[in-house]
Amino acid sequence: MKKFNIRKVLDGLKEQASSSASSGQSGTQENNLMQETLQSENFQLCKTVRHGFPYQPSSMAHDPVQKILAIGTQSGALRLFGRPGVECYCQHESGAAVISLQFLINEGALVSALADDSVHLWNLRQKRPAILHSLKFNRERITFVHLPFQSKWLYIGTEKGNIHIVNVESFTLSGYVIMWNKAIELSSKAHPGPVVHISDNPMDEGKLIIGYESGIVVLWDLKSKKADYRYTYDEAIHSVAWHHEGKQFICSHSDGTLTIWNIKGQGKPFQTITPHGKQPKDGKKPEPCKPILKVEYKTTRLGDPFMILSGGLSYDTVGRRPCLTVMHGKSTAVLEMDYPIVDFLTLCETPYPNDFQEPYAVVVLLEKDLVVIDLAQNGYPIFENPYPLTIHESPVTCCEYYADCPVDLIPALYSVGSRQKRQGYSKKEWPISGGNWGLGTQTVMMGEKLRDREKKPFILLEKRNPKRFFVMLQVLYKLKTAKVFEKSRNNKEEKQNTEIVDEDPFAIQIMAWCPESRMLCVAGVSANLIIYRFSKQEITTEVVQLLEVRLQYEVNDMESPPEGGGGGDRDLPTPGAASPSPQTTGPPTHPSTSSNSSDGVRDNVPCLKVRSTPLKQSPGYQVDLVVQLVWVSGEPPQQITSLALNSSYGLIVFGNSNGLAVVDYLQKTVLLNLGTVELYGSNDPYQRQPRSPRKTRQPSGGLCDINEGSASEDRCKSPTSGELSFSMLDLTTVQLFTVFRYCMFVCCVYSLSVCAGALPFCALSSTVLLSVCPPRGANPLDHRDNSFSRSRSSSVTSIDKEAREAITSFHFCETFARKGDSTITPCLYVGTSLGTVLAVALNLPPAGEQRLLQPVIVLPSGTLGRLKGSILRMAFLDNTGTFLPPAFELWYEPNAVGADSEERDKARKRRPVSVSPSTSQELQESQYAVVCSEKQAKVIALPSQNCIFKHSITETSFVLRADVVQMNIGNCVACFCANGHIMTLSLPGLRPLLDVNYLPLTDMRIARTFCFTNLGQAMYLTSPTEIQRITYSQETCENLQEMLGELFTPVETPEAPNRGFFKGLFGGGATSLDREELFGEMQAGKASRGLAQHIPGPQGLEGMKGAASGVVADLARARIALDERGQKLGELDERTAAMLASADSFGKHAHDMMLKCKDKKWYQF
């Protein structure tokens, strides 16, 4: 047990006090030099838009006139879709499942029925829909809802078998109730079951058909309040559909049969069909099949009718996928679906049920997809879906979000991604084309040869107007990676090599991406890295280049550093000499160096095997190099926890719980490979000592002793091109997993079980790239437990309990490598899980051919500081507070030949310009390092390494994600904590500007995918299938309303079908019903008070039109006013004409009377 030394405690407190005093003085001085432009009023948090497929859908509805689709979910969410760019998300407060949706067709309203027996009326005439009325049933459970076309009376069926009627204008119950015991036969003693269907006769609105679950169907006469006919079948009913002439209807049953009934028929059905049943030859009843969950019967004017149904397959079709059956005339098409069918709707040319429907498409809602089938073309092809609904093809593991990407990036990704589109889509336009997405006049094209705005709206991006960003998200490009690795043969050896992962050895874990150079690096869960280059030309790679790295390190138990070490970051010693890492190995000379040692222990074996056959790579991202960590003395490699890429330096750096490795991907070699403790050198504050160093194999890139002069430098040099003669051609190929980070693009990484490592690139509506990856088993990034409510101790004693010091973050920059330096040099800053920031100096040869011939020298340069908790993010500012981005290289075609190759050679690297410090006695600070950990944020002046500002972010929780982001008028630090708070801090003063308790963290998915980007935007995976974008910019919140699309647009309702002369003469046309007189209070009376509770919304239906906003709504209101004015003028004209006719008639009668009485004497009257 260690002795307690009170003197060290007092010294530490004294040092901390003096350090804070000096920090306060220097902080005041620096604050005077740099005026902060961001204030708290510049920040406001709100949700902007949600992308992806609705999670756990439960119901669907379609407005055939407005051409809007609504989808309800089991969590009470509503998603509305129109043309690309018109999407809307709404949420019921109760969170109950949406069981039914009904549009008020062409009225800009929607009725939703929930599983908690509540009915809601939504106003869709505003950009953010709101609830107008709610009705909560207290005694009965809602099972079915039906709203006839152009009717304001809503039929609600219940579990008890009763039907209640609601006025949708006032949302009040009518006294008219259809009781179940009056609908069925009086002699029947059994309850008919819940109501499963309600619809009115297309030709007679006074006749209502009611379907009960037990198999009873009732034709109810609304006027006489009695049942005209009853139809009974032995099997349960799932759905009912009318023929448009109103003389027949069809029912689907639980035994896989369809029964067609004549409305005046008695006893048996007119026809019984078993679409998928085997017809026995002896005339017996067909074998039962699976239930037909829904059937629709649609007629055409010139051809055979369509009968569309879901389910009904034979029970012997084990393992067959869910199917949608389309029966047209004598042909029957069975369309297999990838997921179970939730619901389907048939899109027709007319909204009138008493006319030929002329179906042209079927919308099929699956559990994880939305499919629209073209009925007008042979083979029933599907429409190409313009919505980004496929980001969940496999579980997403990580997301990255990039803003302000180069202007040529999106066209480049689109050009290569357009070649990946599958063939066979319908040639027609997407049928769900309602709404309006006004782009305004501030929009600019991203390329010169882009397509029409309506067809490719995701290419239109905002460039200069900060008040507008766009809400589009579209998949641009997918990168499949599984083809690089060998397929598993499921033998024992393969299983042992991949046992460090639970399920999918190819899942993506971390991504690093440079938008300017288009370089991409992906880290997988099998401790492997894949480096990609972007090319517009197709190539065939004979052998993929491979590097194998031995990165394994063990230390004795740590001792506590001196007390007070947490406060004096700048006083930590700079490491001096250190012993070479025993785990450093160079690239192997053979793809399979050795699998087992003499004692049977696996050693130098990677977790995955690279393909040995040639690899054909399409235009787009092409694998350039694979780096794999190998087994060391029977122990598997640790999964990678941090990754960084710099295209200007040509370097990749990655780290895990053992240490880090720096790879030169230009010269294809390992520059540095060492344990974390070796970064400190001999001045390790934790006094850790290596234990049982393992034998090294071909050490070629170990730690350089800073004090060993040129000898150490030689050990840190990368081999020249002549030294790259190891057998690179013998290396096998490697599997790729690709995903993209921050840049209005979305990239998803998928597991092997679904699509073998596919990675989609999606374009968001502002210039940002977003990348998404799927979670697999025990994610190495999720080293914290799932309980986010615990408090993470920041004391030094708790830090000592850490078994290893993992590498948690990297940052490439051009800054001062050591304290007191007078010139800036390329550097790599390393953050660890114990809160230490370490510097590594990089000595790079000149650009061009010299870069490929001369060595790169890597020298650890000491400690910059220490913070509480793991280091999450590092960034640098110049002396004016301007953000200093890492150096980058502009993209060039790597496979260019001829004249293109000359242009490639002319490409020059772009590196940020730094201001050199003053040489006067008073050292002028030239840069400021911003460091954020799980607990703290610090601003450190360089080159003096004085901590000028320090802020404690949280004491009871810890930060999950932190980023230094650029706003319109300044920079700030954005943080997302485990307790759900989103905070922003000013720079360089670290003043709190925003602190909102936004999202209580209950799911590791949110922690893994939450990320910030520039211009006040952020996003996270709110469900396994949906991306939620938010903004913390006040300016964006204020202008959000005009950025969103209009759901409702003024459209004329189609004319009703013409009855014809003979139908009008003999009464063969449709019969109307005065529902107002029948269901009104005067005739039906008042409903029971305790049956349902009315909850008024913020506005009634009368004020719905006034609540609409935007130019379209103003035009709609003006059109309505003109219609009303025209109607009033017409009525006035009619009254004037009537008065004139009356006056003429009076004058005529007066004249006749005068003539009659003219010659009469007075005594004759």
Side-chain angles (χ1 to χ4, degrees), residues 1070-1082:
T1071 304
S1072 61
L1073 174 70
D1074 189 355
R1075 295 187 178 94
E1076 183 68 30
E1077 179 183 356
L1078 188 61
F1079 301 144
E1081 187 174 336
M1082 295 295 294

Side-chain angles (χ1 to χ4, degrees), residues 688-710:
R688 294 164 290 191
Q689 297 296 329
R691 179 180 61 190
S692 304
R694 297 187 175 89
K695 297 179 182 180
T696 60
R697 299 191 178 195
Q698 301 173 356
S700 68
L703 170 68
C704 297
D705 194 331
I706 302 174
N707 299 327
E708 288 184 2
S710 60

Side-chain angles (χ1 to χ4, degrees), residues 30 33 816 878-880 915-918 922-928 940-946 948:
E30 299 297 337
L33 294 177
F816 303 94
D878 65 8
N879 55 0
T880 63
V915 180
S916 300
S918 173
E922 275 188 33
L923 187 63
Q924 175 72 32
E925 304 293 0
S926 295
Q927 290 184 357
Y928 301 93
I940 302 172
L942 299 177
S944 66
Q945 297 189 359
N946 292 325
I948 59 173

Side-chain angles (χ1 to χ4, degrees), residues 452-741:
D452 180 36
R453 180 178 77 180
E454 298 249 336
K455 296 182 180 179
K456 302 298 176 187
F458 55 87
I459 300 176
L460 296 172
L461 301 178
E462 176 58 32
K463 204 179 166 187
R464 297 176 184 173
N465 187 0
K467 294 185 179 181
R468 292 187 64 87
F469 78 96
F470 300 106
V471 293
M472 279 300 299
L473 174 68
Q474 183 66 42
V475 177
L476 291 181
Y477 174 74
K478 291 184 180 181
L479 178 61
K480 295 183 179 180
T481 61
K483 60 183 180 181
V484 180
F485 292 103
E486 294 282 359
K487 294 182 179 180
S488 176
R489 299 186 180 90
N490 296 324
N491 54 29
K492 186 176 181 181
E493 180 71 19
E494 293 284 342
K495 186 176 180 180
Q496 289 177 347
N497 286 350
T498 60
E499 65 183 11
I500 67 169
V501 293
D502 294 337
E503 299 177 8
D504 189 358
F506 306 114
I508 301 298
Q509 182 171 317
I510 315 176
M511 302 169 290
W513 187 56
C514 178
E516 289 78 13
S517 65
R518 305 179 192 174
M519 291 293 300
L520 171 69
C521 185
V522 175
V525 294
S526 297
N528 62 326
L529 288 175
I530 307 111
I531 303 168
Y532 298 95
R533 287 183 181 273
F534 185 86
S535 175
K536 295 182 180 180
Q537 300 180 10
E538 181 178 311
I539 63 171
T540 299
T541 304
E542 296 296 331
V543 177
V544 176
Q545 298 182 356
L546 171 67
L547 289 177
E548 293 183 355
V549 179
R550 295 168 59 90
L551 186 59
Q552 198 80 5
Y553 199 81
E554 291 184 1
V555 297
N556 287 318
D557 296 337
M558 295 181 294
E559 298 181 7
S560 299
E563 284 78 356
D569 297 332
R570 57 192 174 89
D571 296 329
L572 290 177
T574 302
S579 60
S581 170
Q583 306 308 322
T584 308
T585 68
T589 57
H590 194 271
S592 56
T593 313
S594 64
S595 60
N596 295 282
S597 59
S598 57
D599 55 357
V601 178
R602 274 170 293 159
D603 187 70
N604 213 31
V605 180
C607 299
L608 299 174
K609 289 186 178 180
V610 180
R611 274 180 47 174
S612 57
T613 56
L615 176 63
K616 183 179 180 180
Q617 304 195 67
S618 303
Y621 276 92
Q622 300 169 351
V623 61
D624 184 62
L625 176 66
V626 176
V627 181
Q628 287 187 303
L629 299 183
V630 297
W631 289 66
V632 178
S633 301
E635 293 189 12
Q638 298 296 313
Q639 293 182 346
I640 297 170
T641 58
S642 55
L643 176 67
L645 159 72
N646 189 281
S647 59
S648 177
Y649 306 155
L651 302 179
I652 292 285
V653 58
F654 62 93
N656 57 15
S657 58
N658 288 326
L660 62 85
V662 180
V663 175
D664 184 345
Y665 64 81
L666 297 178
Q667 298 187 16
K668 306 295 188 296
T669 185
V670 178
L671 300 177
L672 189 67
N673 178 8
L674 71 165
T676 310
V677 63
E678 294 175 315
L679 284 172
Y680 293 94
S682 59
N683 296 318
D684 182 9
Y686 300 100
Q687 302 176 9
R688 294 164 290 191
Q689 297 296 329
R691 179 180 61 190
S692 304
R694 297 187 175 89
K695 297 179 182 180
T696 60
R697 299 191 178 195
Q698 301 173 356
S700 68
L703 170 68
C704 297
D705 194 331
I706 302 174
N707 299 327
E708 288 184 2
S710 60
S712 64
E713 292 181 2
D714 293 338
R715 291 164 48 193
C716 293
K717 291 180 180 179
S718 65
T720 62
S721 58
E723 295 169 333
L724 278 174
S725 59
F726 57 89
S727 180
M728 192 67 74
L729 296 178
D730 295 335
L731 302 179
T732 54
T733 33
V734 186
Q735 229 179 20
L736 319 180
F737 275 87
T738 326
V739 182
F740 286 84
R741 287 182 85 126

Side-chain angles (χ1 to χ4, degrees), residues 784 788 872 934 958-962 976-979 1001 1006-1007:
R784 312 177 184 95
F788 293 99
L872 299 179
E934 292 177 330
F958 59 95
V959 179
L960 289 168
R961 180 70 183 238
F976 174 58
C977 297
N979 58 8
L1001 191 62
I1006 299 174

Side-chain angles (χ1 to χ4, degrees), residues 146 148 155 163 165 178 198-201 204-210 218-222 242:
H146 170 64
Y155 300 101
I163 296 177
I165 302 173
I178 303 176
I198 305 171
S199 62
D200 48 351
N201 190 315
D204 188 356
E205 296 177 353
K207 306 294 184 180
L208 194 69
I209 198 164
I210 307 169
V218 177
L219 185 64
W220 181 266
D221 190 328
L222 291 172
W242 278 102

Side-chain angles (χ1 to χ4, degrees), residues 892-1068:
Y892 60 88
E893 175 56 59
N895 302 317
V897 294
D900 294 336
S901 63
E902 296 179 0
E903 294 182 4
R904 178 193 63 185
D905 296 336
K906 294 179 181 179
R908 293 293 182 262
K909 296 181 180 180
R910 174 186 172 186
R911 297 182 181 178
V913 178
S914 299
V915 180
S916 300
S918 173
T919 56
S920 61
Q921 294 181 355
E922 275 188 33
L923 187 63
Q924 175 72 32
E925 304 293 0
S926 295
Q927 290 184 357
Y928 301 93
V930 182
V931 185
C932 187
S933 72
E934 292 177 330
K935 295 287 185 179
Q936 290 179 324
K938 287 186 177 182
V939 176
I940 302 172
L942 299 177
S944 66
Q945 297 189 359
N946 292 325
C947 177
I948 59 173
F949 294 106
K950 180 170 65 174
H951 177 74
S952 179
I953 300 175
T954 177
E955 292 293 341
T956 59
S957 183
F958 59 95
V959 179
L960 289 168
R961 180 70 183 238
D963 285 288
V964 177
V965 296
Q966 302 177 57
M967 305 292 287
N968 289 328
I969 57 174
N971 304 317
C972 67
V973 178
C975 304
F976 174 58
C977 297
N979 58 8
H981 283 250
I982 292 180
M983 295 179 285
T984 59
L985 307 174
S986 68
L987 285 177
L990 298 180
R991 293 182 297 107
L993 299 175
L994 175 71
D995 189 352
V996 178
N997 188 5
Y998 169 71
L999 184 69
L1001 191 62
T1002 57
D1003 198 332
M1004 279 299 301
R1005 176 183 62 252
I1006 299 174
R1008 183 174 53 246
T1009 58
F1010 197 100
C1011 52
F1012 296 96
T1013 189
N1014 295 332
L1015 304 178
Q1017 299 187 53
M1019 61 131 250
Y1020 59 93
L1021 206 67
T1022 184
S1023 72
T1025 63
E1026 294 172 291
I1027 293 174
Q1028 179 65 55
R1029 291 171 62 191
I1030 63 175
T1031 181
Y1032 47 95
S1033 168
Q1034 171 68 24
E1035 189 175 17
T1036 303
C1037 292
E1038 291 178 352
N1039 295 279
L1040 181 61
Q1041 190 72 12
E1042 63 183 74
M1043 301 173 189
L1044 302 176
E1046 297 271 1
L1047 284 171
F1048 178 79
T1049 55
V1051 179
E1052 292 293 336
T1053 303
E1055 294 184 0
N1058 189 3
R1059 293 191 300 172
F1061 174 76
F1062 290 102
K1063 287 186 177 181
L1065 181 63
F1066 297 103

